[in-house]
Amino acid sequence: QACTVLGEARCAKAAEKPLQIGVNAGVDALERFAMMKSVETVSREPISNLTEADALLDECSFALQFGHRFTRFVEGALGEGETVTATLLKSLQTLEGLYIQLEDRYRDAGVREALEDMDDPLAALQDAFFVLRRGVDRAVGTLSEQAALAELHRTLATLALDAEVFQSAASLATRGEKKELSLIDAVDEEVRGASIESLAVAAGGAFACASSVAALKDEVVGELARSVPLAVPLLDDFDHASHQYDELAAGALSALFDEPGLMLSRRSFFADVVADKIGRYSKLGDQDVLGDDDSALDNAYEKVLNHAALTAALDALPAGAPRLALC
């Protein structure tokens, strides 16, 4: 009602001083927070306690969100309030820089710790992705485009072929082998260095990684891209990363399906069928009578279906995958 009487310009002018007081209070709050929590000092030191670092990052994210929300409110109330909010924006940029540094250290330390114990490799990879997702969600929650984009780019770098997460997933196929082999060698037609169990774990791990990357792309990057144009190219980048893990899983599955024992069982089965050694017509003699006993055929087929390599491959497939087609 006051704006209707005074006019928008006079109303904004009247609100400028009270809002400036609020901005000054916001600047003071951010500076006190950074000082009391020693954010600058902590962001420059190696992380020794992930739980404490995680809690501090949560507080930084909330402080940044508060600052950005108040900045938008002031600028919305004044129309063009950049002059009033200049000092607050400067304080926010300072805290954002420290927050990004601290988030970098948390991500590196968290992923490294998760992948140190590979006794349960699938759990280790899930823990690593939990750390990555935690950082991305927190960065988006700051309402800072700079922080969100920085964290997404660094997450992509952590998922790259030459980075620790991918290398850990790739090494699962050859873990425990006497000779050092990459997964590429392990699934190569002529090398075939990995065991059935290792290849199954590698396939399951790679599928889990691909699913986690796809979830990041759909649930975070896709939503962010609707309002932040600079996030749009990241959709293809995360698609590419997910595809790389799918290819890793496909290589492990291919090696399982081509496992020598399984290949021999398949060849023997089909050779016997073609030669009429097994099946409904194998016992026909002079009498033109069709037998109903399919037990020989069933037993031969079970040798293929129940082979350790095929069972391991089917168990490694994610839920919803076309198991029947693979059989």
Side-chain angles (χ1 to χ4, degrees):
Q1 292 178 351
C3 287
T4 303
V5 175
L6 298 174
E8 291 186 4
R10 293 179 65 186
C11 186
K13 187 67 177 177
E16 186 172 319
K17 182 173 285 189
L19 290 174
Q20 182 66 67
I21 294 173
V23 167
N24 293 339
V27 171
D28 184 61
L30 289 175
E31 291 178 349
R32 284 177 178 273
F33 165 76
M35 181 180 65
M36 292 176 62
K37 296 294 183 178
S38 303
V39 179
E40 184 173 1
T41 302
V42 175
S43 67
R44 294 175 179 176
E45 297 177 348
I47 290 179
S48 57
N49 189 312
L50 284 172
T51 302
E52 292 180 359
D54 187 63
L56 178 57
L57 282 164
D58 281 345
E59 292 181 86
C60 288
S61 176
F62 180 77
L64 288 169
Q65 182 187 118
F66 160 77
H68 282 291
R69 285 187 183 279
F70 188 65
T71 299
R72 294 176 185 179
F73 166 73
V74 172
E75 292 178 351
L78 299 180
E80 295 181 1
E82 289 82 0
T83 303
V84 176
T85 59
T87 54
L88 180 56
L89 287 171
K90 185 176 180 180
S91 294
L92 285 171
Q93 289 170 357
T94 300
L95 183 57
E96 280 173 11
L98 298 174
Y99 164 78
I100 291 171
Q101 290 180 37
L102 183 56
E103 197 73 79
D104 284 346
R105 293 184 181 278
Y106 171 81
R107 180 183 56 257
D108 294 343
V111 169
R112 185 167 53 250
E113 182 174 306
L115 298 178
E116 278 179 356
D117 183 9
M118 294 294 282
D119 291 338
D120 186 347
L122 295 184
L125 289 170
Q126 289 172 351
D127 288 345
F129 272 95
F130 173 82
V131 172
L132 294 176
R133 181 60 184 264
R134 188 101 171 90
V136 168
D137 288 341
R138 188 161 43 212
V140 172
T142 65
L143 302 183
S144 164
E145 293 182 11
Q146 178 187 358
L149 292 172
E151 186 62 22
L152 287 171
H153 279 291
R154 286 165 170 77
T155 297
L156 275 172
T158 307
L159 298 171
L161 291 177
D162 58 348
E164 195 169 4
V165 175
F166 188 91
Q167 291 300 315
S168 295
S171 71
L172 294 179
T174 56
R175 190 171 296 277
E177 296 295 315
K178 292 182 179 180
K179 51 185 177 179
E180 291 294 328
L181 293 170
S182 67
L183 179 59
I184 305 302
D185 292 331
V187 301
D188 184 82
E189 289 291 337
E190 297 180 358
V191 181
R192 297 293 195 219
S195 66
I196 290 175
E197 294 78 11
S198 295
L199 286 169
V201 172
F207 275 127
C209 290
S211 175
S212 296
V213 176
L216 265 175
K217 178 240 179 184
D218 294 338
E219 298 170 10
V220 180
V221 185
E223 289 297 317
L224 187 65
R226 294 182 180 182
S227 57
V228 181
L230 289 175
V232 173
L234 291 172
L235 291 169
D236 289 336
D237 293 336
F238 273 88
D239 262 339
H240 179 65
S242 180
H243 183 64
Q244 289 175 331
Y245 285 96
D246 276 332
E247 286 185 338
L248 189 67
L253 284 179
S254 177
L256 283 169
F257 290 134
D258 292 341
E259 195 273 337
L262 177 58
M263 291 182 67
L264 183 62
S265 295
R266 288 203 305 257
R267 289 174 182 173
S268 176
F269 169 76
F270 288 114
D272 286 347
V273 170
V274 171
D276 282 344
K277 293 181 180 179
I278 57 174
R280 302 185 69 187
Y281 296 92
S282 61
K283 296 181 179 179
L284 288 181
D286 297 334
Q287 298 179 349
D288 188 15
V289 178
L290 187 64
D292 293 326
D293 184 10
D294 290 338
S295 59
L297 178 63
D298 292 340
N299 291 337
Y301 197 36
E302 284 179 6
K303 291 181 179 179
V304 178
L305 284 181
N306 294 333
H307 191 280
L310 184 57
T311 301
L314 295 176
D315 289 343
L317 289 173
R323 288 169 169 74
L324 184 59
L326 292 174
C327 292

